[in-house]
Amino acid sequence: MPEDIENKKGGGKDRMNPQLASVDALAHVRAIAPYQPGKPIEEVARELGLEPDGIVKLASNENPLGAPESARRAIARAADLGRYPDGNAFALRSALAQRLGVALEWVTVGSGSNEILEMAAAAMLAPGRSCVYSQYAFAVYPLATQVRGARGIVVGARNFGHDLPAMARAIAADTRLVYLANPNNPTGTFADAGALEAFLREVPAAVAVVLDEAYNEYLAPPQRYDAIEWVRRYPNLIVSRTFSKAYGLAGLRVGYAVSQPDLAALLNRVRLPFNVSTLAQAAACAALADVDFLRRSYELNRAGLRTLEEGLQALGLAFVHSSANFILVKVGPADRVYRELLARGVIVRPVASYDLPEFLRVTVGLPEENQRFLQALAAALHAARAVAPVGAPR
Ligand SMILES: Cc1ncc(COP(=O)(O)O)c(C=O)c1O
């Protein structure tokens, strides 16, 4: 398990001001296990006495190409930072609306698509209501549900992916929101258009569905489907996407939702004013127009996935076939293998918090990073097995 950064910070504050702990906070908020981000390179360098330049981070599903040059140039040209951003994100929403073939009012922007997921929860969930999501689905779904004091209905996964018929059956009288990730994080699984639309048809009109497509741009051509056409047909559907992955702008925090205007107006009621910064809006506009960067991101990822799959196969490891920019691999004693990888300067993501204690999630990197990971993994597996407790299965 990665070190719990949030708890560490809170613990420090409490020591300085012991009365803070006695505030009458909501019990369901206190009960939340904080989101655990991938370890930053600087932290690993500090803890292990390694040079930051020698560390490979394949832990947070970021784009190994970094931010597109076009976005960097747009940031350099961006308007007066002494003023608030355009709270309506007119230029960005217009560009998205035009690209997607919808009216401006159908597009809502978020501080990352994470904020879209939160807005949907804020609009739809409260104590006495429930939210349906899958086992092994993105960690923010249970978090957003718990923060609102709502009940999470977790539907058992099927082959690590969403069991959509079971999810439709799990919708209860008090359910008001469903989260679906396609492809899913951390498993990389994909549900095809037929299965998704069959699901949408089953959902009652009062229940909003967030179709979370954070990794949509990585889908291979035969997998692609037209979710925007579904938005036209299903007034309860919110499609959420991000600039953090294939567009390479994770550090700027920009995502967006496409929904019919009524639902968009609801999301906007709970959206923070000025939620997307001036720099983020400028960079996202540039990245959206940069079709060459998107194509390079896609191709690099496809090739990287192939390299990782072949390398994992050669090591005799089982993995889940991925449609995203990461891969879930079964390594056995994952915590030990994770630490052995860290000691070799490679950061990946343990997923014990997803109830997958034998697995690691590895983001596709640059070709040399993928090779470095595979070499480090061979050594880490060897070392982890060598220190297995006596009597433990090897
Ligand atoms: C499935 C899924 N949805 C949403 C997000 C949120 O990403 P962001 O807030 O950077 O758009 C992530 C991030 O990893 C994700 O994996």
Side-chain angles (χ1 to χ4, degrees):
M1 291 280 289
E3 196 173 359
D4 187 336
I5 298 158
E6 305 283 85
N7 274 344
K8 209 169 129 193
K9 270 195 205 148
K13 266 194 209 153
D14 285 355
R15 270 198 300 281
M16 284 189 315
N17 179 4
Q19 289 179 342
L20 206 66
S22 59
V23 296
D24 188 15
L26 296 164
H28 59 258
V29 172
R30 276 202 195 279
I32 290 169
Y35 181 76
Q36 295 174 344
K39 257 184 183 303
I41 288 177
E42 292 68 26
E43 191 179 312
V44 173
R46 239 182 359 256
E47 286 176 7
L48 298 176
L50 301 172
E51 282 302 316
D53 284 352
I55 293 176
V56 171
K57 184 185 175 208
L58 304 174
S60 299
N61 301 346
E62 295 146 338
N63 192 323
L65 293 173
E69 197 44 50
S70 54
R72 291 178 190 277
R73 281 197 301 271
I75 285 175
R77 284 193 309 268
D80 182 0
L81 297 183
R83 298 197 183 279
Y84 282 103
D86 174 359
N88 285 318
F90 180 79
L92 176 56
R93 287 173 56 237
S94 302
L96 284 165
Q98 194 180 5
R99 171 68 60 89
L100 301 168
V102 296
L104 185 69
E105 307 77 58
W106 291 45
V107 182
T108 309
V109 289
S111 173
S113 60
N114 204 138
E115 195 196 6
I116 302 290
L117 307 177
E118 288 290 338
M119 287 182 217
M124 302 303 298
L125 298 180
R129 293 180 167 210
S130 66
C131 178
V132 170
Y133 44 84
S134 175
Q135 180 190 22
Y136 311 141
F138 185 41
V140 165
Y141 308 160
L143 277 179
T145 303
Q146 282 171 276
V147 168
R148 269 81 199 177
R151 182 168 63 99
I153 299 178
V154 187
V155 178
R158 196 159 170 208
N159 297 327
F160 295 93
H162 291 35
D163 183 343
L164 290 168
M167 288 182 74
R169 286 194 300 273
I171 292 174
D174 66 356
T175 300
R176 292 295 177 272
L177 184 62
V178 179
Y179 287 117
L180 296 178
N182 202 41
N184 182 45
N185 174 20
T187 57
T189 49
F190 167 76
D192 67 24
L196 281 172
E197 200 179 359
F199 174 80
L200 291 174
R201 278 197 297 267
E202 295 293 315
V203 180
V207 179
V209 177
V210 175
L211 177 56
D212 175 353
E213 297 189 334
Y215 303 95
N216 172 268
E217 295 82 2
Y218 292 114
L219 291 179
Q223 294 177 309
R224 293 189 189 152
Y225 54 87
D226 188 357
I228 306 305
E229 181 51 33
W230 292 339
V231 174
R232 289 195 185 90
R233 274 191 277 139
Y234 296 94
N236 58 340
L237 177 61
I238 300 166
V239 171
S240 99
R241 294 189 185 154
T242 185
F243 283 91
S244 298
K245 310 295 177 186
Y247 290 99
L249 298 179
L252 282 171
R253 316 303 303 122
V254 202
Y256 62 94
V258 188
S259 68
Q260 291 197 15
D262 273 3
L263 209 40
L266 273 176
L267 297 180
N268 274 302
R269 282 186 176 82
V270 294
R271 182 173 68 86
L272 294 184
F274 312 116
N275 60 335
V276 181
S277 75
T278 303
L279 299 185
Q281 292 186 33
C285 283
L288 188 65
D290 195 341
V291 287
D292 184 53
F293 182 85
L294 194 64
R295 185 184 48 74
R296 283 201 295 137
S297 296
Y298 171 81
E299 285 171 3
L300 186 78
N301 188 63
R302 280 279 126 186
L305 271 180
R306 263 200 308 277
T307 303
L308 290 179
E309 286 192 357
E310 283 165 14
L312 296 174
Q313 237 151 20
L315 290 171
L317 296 173
F319 54 85
V320 180
H321 183 70
S322 173
S323 297
N325 69 342
F326 55 84
I327 190 160
L328 187 70
V329 52
K330 188 170 184 183
V331 294
D335 189 44
R336 242 174 294 148
V337 177
Y338 165 70
R339 285 174 197 286
E340 293 292 345
L341 282 169
L342 269 190
R344 289 164 178 80
V346 178
I347 316 173
V348 297
R349 189 64 169 269
V351 281
S353 59
Y354 282 93
D355 207 16
L356 291 163
E358 295 190 315
F359 289 78
L360 292 173
R361 191 195 68 193
V362 185
T363 305
V364 175
L366 295 170
E368 58 273 24
E369 293 175 325
N370 299 332
Q371 290 304 343
R372 171 99 185 270
F373 160 71
L374 289 169
Q375 279 159 13
L377 181 61
L381 286 168
H382 191 72
R385 283 171 190 149
V387 298
V390 180
R394 296 259 163 136

